[in-house]
């Protein structure tokens, strides 16, 4: 389209110039006047001057859509005095507007040329009917008959068809959006109807009362203003009011166009989604006005770093997007995204402070990742959140990390139904001390899908966390576990049970009170429940996490720090978390006997935890050698297949009774605590 427009404009200017020269030479050769004199001429001159002053004062940045007032004047002059005077009206508008606003010369000249060609087309239609108006022999309304109406309509339609079509083809709508193009065509149709009504009236007044011609300035200016105001509203709906960048609607429409062009050429296109990592902190600390200034600087930096032909948009909040209409590969798109993200990480000045605000970006490429604009934007969003989680800066979309594929969405619906129907089970894995006593049980969720079979916990828990179903899953696990604890206590088995909770649960207001109410309802002492958390609870909202954990411990619930050593800033978080137990992650325990570095990490962790008064539990113990090594290092308890696998509640009950909790005459003698349960 751009190449077509580039060649079309010179063709329009050349054609109009040649036609105008031929017309002027012919008129002069025949000794005829170029423009009417006396009162009609002065009336048209004054009206033209008023229209020109209006166009100059309007001061629009773009002339896309043309001027309805200038077209009405040219059409009226054509009907009354012929082709050459009508062209002179257009040239007058072009010359005067161009002289007043020199930056408008190219647009003004183009529109004048288009008007000339439109007038020429209408003149040819009138000539085909034998009508050739001139200054000496005007086609006055007194000469109009019933057969004149088809001539007027066809002549006006020829003028409008040629001028409006050339104007639309040569001046593409802002951003090349199909919606604006369609709206513009409709608007041009309405302008055409208005011109068909106004132009003959101007002719009648010019013939009968030419001194009244300047009064037509009012309806003509109103016509122009209404057209431009409607266009401005259309454009404003596609712009972000703060940064002036295009918004989400614009991005989607522009992306659709870019994908169609890329598909025709067999090319790739890419969408980059950018999100600031600490914008909320700036807003909360320095205020929203400072946050707005940060967004303005961010928009400016993105625009300065844009590759050639790339386009930027603001989607809302601190989210921005960059459309790359042509990219060689996903690697090239990722390289462009890294350049933009790198520019955003440079220090900036806000309210006298030097801030460094980093960003994360996700990249999705057409056609590999999605065939349509909406899908490409969603996958770029998935990649962006992956970059945030990994703190990698920029990530390209990876389907294996997308929790919203059709298969996983179906699994999410099945999980929701399984929770409603009580089809999700809890298995319990013991934690034992080295003297054989049972330190507690960990409740582990299990799901046997009716068609898929056993679904790995990591898979459906990840789906729950990313979908908002996690609070429902946590409620289900807590309710099921506390029901079982109550049954065990009634049977004389008083072993504590640990339940895993996610960071989202800890961030939920009222979570501590809800847990306390659930304990009271089941008649279970708070000391019989232990909640296992990870260090990640302190990453997003440390204050909310601290308040929730303090509320839980205030109710008497014990806290255990799970997967220790795999999070961020472990020692800092350990000081702030009100935990009584620390669990060493299985990734360290598994290589304890073969890797000296892992052994040293375990030793230091045990010593650190003991210095803080914490109980240490090692996860993933599967052989005697690891058991012996942990015992030598001073670990307090172990958990793993060497002791027992996670078991259903009934099997766990038998296991507990076999270990004398409590021991009755009917119970079997306790086995060695390291004997695995098959």
């Amino acid at each position: 389209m751009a190449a077509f427009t580039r060649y079309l404009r010179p063709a329009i200017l050349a054609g109009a110039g040649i036609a105008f020269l031929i017309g002027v030479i012919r008129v002069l050769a025949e000794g005829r006047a170029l423009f009417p004199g006396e009162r009609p001429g002065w009336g048209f001159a004054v009206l033209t001057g008023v229209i020109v002053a209006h166009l100059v004062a309007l001061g629009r940045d773009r002339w896309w859509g043309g001027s309805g007032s200038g077209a009405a004047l040219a059409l009226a002059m054509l009907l009354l005095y012929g082709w050459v005077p009508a062209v002179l009206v257009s040239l007058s508008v072009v010359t005067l507007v161009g002289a007043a606003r020199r930056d408008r010369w190219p647009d003004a000249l183009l529109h004048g040329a288009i008007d000339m060609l439109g007038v020429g087309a209408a003149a040819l239609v009138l000539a085909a009917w034998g009508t050739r108006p001139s200054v000496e022999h005007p086609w006055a309304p007194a000469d109009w008959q019933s057969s004149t109406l088809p001539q007027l309509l066809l002549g006006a339609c020829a003028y409008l068809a040629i001028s409006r079509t050339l104007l639309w083809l040569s001046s593409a709508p802002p951003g090349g959006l199909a919606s604006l193009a369609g709206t513009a065509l409709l608007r041009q149709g309405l302008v055409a109807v208005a011109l068909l009504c106004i132009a003959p009236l101007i002719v009648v007044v010019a013939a009968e009362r030419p001194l009244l011609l300047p009064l037509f300035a009012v309806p003509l200016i109103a016509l122009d203003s209404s057209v431009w105001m409607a266009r401005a509203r259309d454009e404003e709906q596609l712009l972000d009011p703060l940064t002036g960048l295009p918004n989400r609607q614009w991005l989607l429409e522009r992306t659709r166009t870019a994908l169609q062009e890329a598909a025709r050429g067999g090319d790739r296109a890419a969408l980059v989604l950018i999100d600031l990592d600490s914008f909320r902190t700036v807003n909360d600390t320095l205020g929203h006005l400072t946050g707005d200034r940060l967004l303005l600087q961010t928009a400016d930096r993105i625009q300065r770093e844009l590759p050639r032909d790339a386009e930027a948009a603001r989607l809302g909040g601190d989210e921005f997007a960059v459309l790359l209409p042509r990219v060689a590969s996903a690697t090239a798109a990722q390289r462009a995204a890294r350049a933009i993200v790198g520019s955003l990480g440079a220090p900036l000045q806000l309210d006298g402070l030097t801030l460094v605000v980093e960003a994360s970006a996700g990249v999705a490429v057409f056609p590999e990742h999605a065939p349509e604009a909406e899908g490409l934007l969603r996958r770029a969003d998935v990649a962006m959140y992956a970059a945030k989680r990994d703190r990698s800066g920029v990530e390209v979309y990876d389907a294996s990390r997308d929790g919203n594929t059709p298969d996983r969405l179906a699994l999410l619906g099945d999980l929701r139904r399984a929770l409603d129907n009580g089809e999700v089970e809890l298995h319990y894995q013991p934690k034992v001390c080295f003297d054989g006593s049972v330190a507690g049980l960990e409740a582990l969720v299990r799901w046997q899908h009716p068609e898929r079979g056993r679904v790995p916990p990591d898979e459906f828990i990840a789906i729950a966390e990313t979908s908002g179903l996690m609070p429902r899953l946590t409620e289900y696990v807590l309710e099921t576990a506390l029901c079982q604890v109550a049954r065990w206590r009634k049977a004389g088995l008083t072993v504590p049970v640990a339940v895993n909770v996610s960071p989202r649960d800890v961030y939920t207001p009222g979570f501590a009170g809800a847990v306390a109410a659930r304990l009271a309802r089941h008649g279970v002492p708070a000391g019989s429940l232990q909640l296992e958390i990870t260090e990640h609870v302190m990453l997003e909202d440390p204050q909310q996490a601290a308040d929730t954990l303090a509320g839980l411990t205030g109710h008497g619930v014990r806290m255990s720090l799970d997967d220790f050593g795999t999070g961020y800033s472990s020692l800092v978080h350990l000081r702030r978390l009100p935990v009584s137990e620390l669990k060493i992650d299985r990734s360290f325990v598994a290589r304890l006997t073969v890797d000296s570095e892992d052994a040293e990490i375990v030793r230091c962790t045990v010593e650190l935890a003991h210095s803080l008064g914490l109980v240490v539990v090692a996860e993933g113990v599967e052989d005697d050698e690891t058991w012996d090594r942990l015992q030598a290092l001073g670990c307090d308890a172990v958990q793993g297949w060497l002791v027992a696998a996670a078991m259903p509640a009934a099997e766990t009950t038998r296991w507990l009774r076999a270990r004398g909790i409590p021991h009755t005459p009917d119970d079997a003698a306790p086995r060695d605590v390291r004997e695995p349960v098959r």
Side-chain angles (χ1 to χ4, degrees), residues 264-287:
R264 284 195 295 268
D267 298 320
R268 289 183 175 89
L271 204 57
V272 180
L273 194 62
I274 304 168
D275 186 89
L276 302 182
D277 289 341
S278 53
F279 178 70
R280 178 179 175 182
T281 302
V282 174
N283 249 0
D284 293 345
T285 305
L286 302 179

Side-chain angles (χ1 to χ4, degrees), residues 54-55 57-68 174 180 183-184 187-188 190-191 218-239:
H54 158 66
L55 295 176
L58 197 61
R60 296 290 179 187
D61 293 332
R62 288 188 292 266
W63 274 28
W64 188 80
S67 165
L180 281 186
T183 303
R187 188 181 300 120
Q188 294 299 338
L190 296 177
V191 171
V218 176
L220 292 178
I221 289 175
L223 174 64
D224 270 349
S225 298
S226 62
V227 170
W228 272 318
M229 287 172 61
R231 190 186 75 231
R233 283 195 300 269
D234 291 341
E235 294 184 18
E236 287 172 0
Q237 291 177 358
L238 299 174
L239 295 178

Side-chain angles (χ1 to χ4, degrees), residues 450-523:
E451 297 175 0
R452 301 170 184 251
R454 182 179 175 182
V455 182
D458 289 347
E459 182 177 349
F460 68 81
I461 289 175
I463 293 175
E465 286 180 338
T466 57
S467 66
L469 190 60
M470 195 64 207
R472 173 77 177 88
L473 179 59
T474 300
E475 289 178 4
Y476 181 92
V477 172
L478 276 172
E479 182 70 19
T480 305
L482 290 178
C483 283
Q484 184 59 53
V485 171
R487 285 194 291 269
W488 279 332
R489 289 182 60 82
K490 188 175 181 180
L493 300 173
T494 57
V495 61
V497 173
V499 172
N500 290 277
V501 294
S502 74
R504 179 171 294 187
D505 300 319
V506 176
Y507 298 146
T508 302
F511 178 70
V515 171
R518 202 178 295 275
L519 285 166
R521 187 169 68 252
H522 290 284

Side-chain angles (χ1 to χ4, degrees), residues 240-245 276 279 282-283 285-304 314 317-318 320 344 346-353 355 357:
D240 170 51
L242 175 64
T243 63
L245 290 176
L276 302 182
F279 178 70
V282 174
N283 249 0
T285 305
L286 302 179
H288 290 282
L289 291 179
T290 302
D292 288 346
R293 288 195 290 273
L294 171 60
L295 293 175
L296 287 170
Q297 291 198 35
T298 300
D300 183 59
R301 289 185 175 187
I302 290 175
Q303 288 179 293
R304 288 203 305 265
R314 182 190 176 206
D318 59 338
F320 295 83
L344 297 180
L348 54 84
Q349 298 292 325
L350 284 176
D351 294 342
L353 298 175
L355 301 180
V357 180

Side-chain angles (χ1 to χ4, degrees), residues 169-258:
L169 291 175
S170 61
S171 302
L177 298 185
S179 65
L180 281 186
T183 303
L185 286 176
L186 176 61
R187 188 181 300 120
Q188 294 299 338
L190 296 177
V191 171
V193 173
L195 294 180
L196 287 174
C197 297
I198 294 177
L201 296 179
I202 295 177
V203 172
V204 172
V205 173
E208 301 296 332
R209 294 290 185 272
L211 293 180
L212 299 180
L213 281 175
L215 296 180
F216 276 99
V218 176
L220 292 178
I221 289 175
L223 174 64
D224 270 349
S225 298
S226 62
V227 170
W228 272 318
M229 287 172 61
R231 190 186 75 231
R233 283 195 300 269
D234 291 341
E235 294 184 18
E236 287 172 0
Q237 291 177 358
L238 299 174
L239 295 178
D240 170 51
L242 175 64
T243 63
L245 290 176
N247 60 16
R248 181 183 294 269
Q249 179 185 349
W250 179 93
L251 177 72
L252 288 173
E253 293 197 40
R254 182 67 186 91
T255 302
R256 293 187 191 106
T257 303

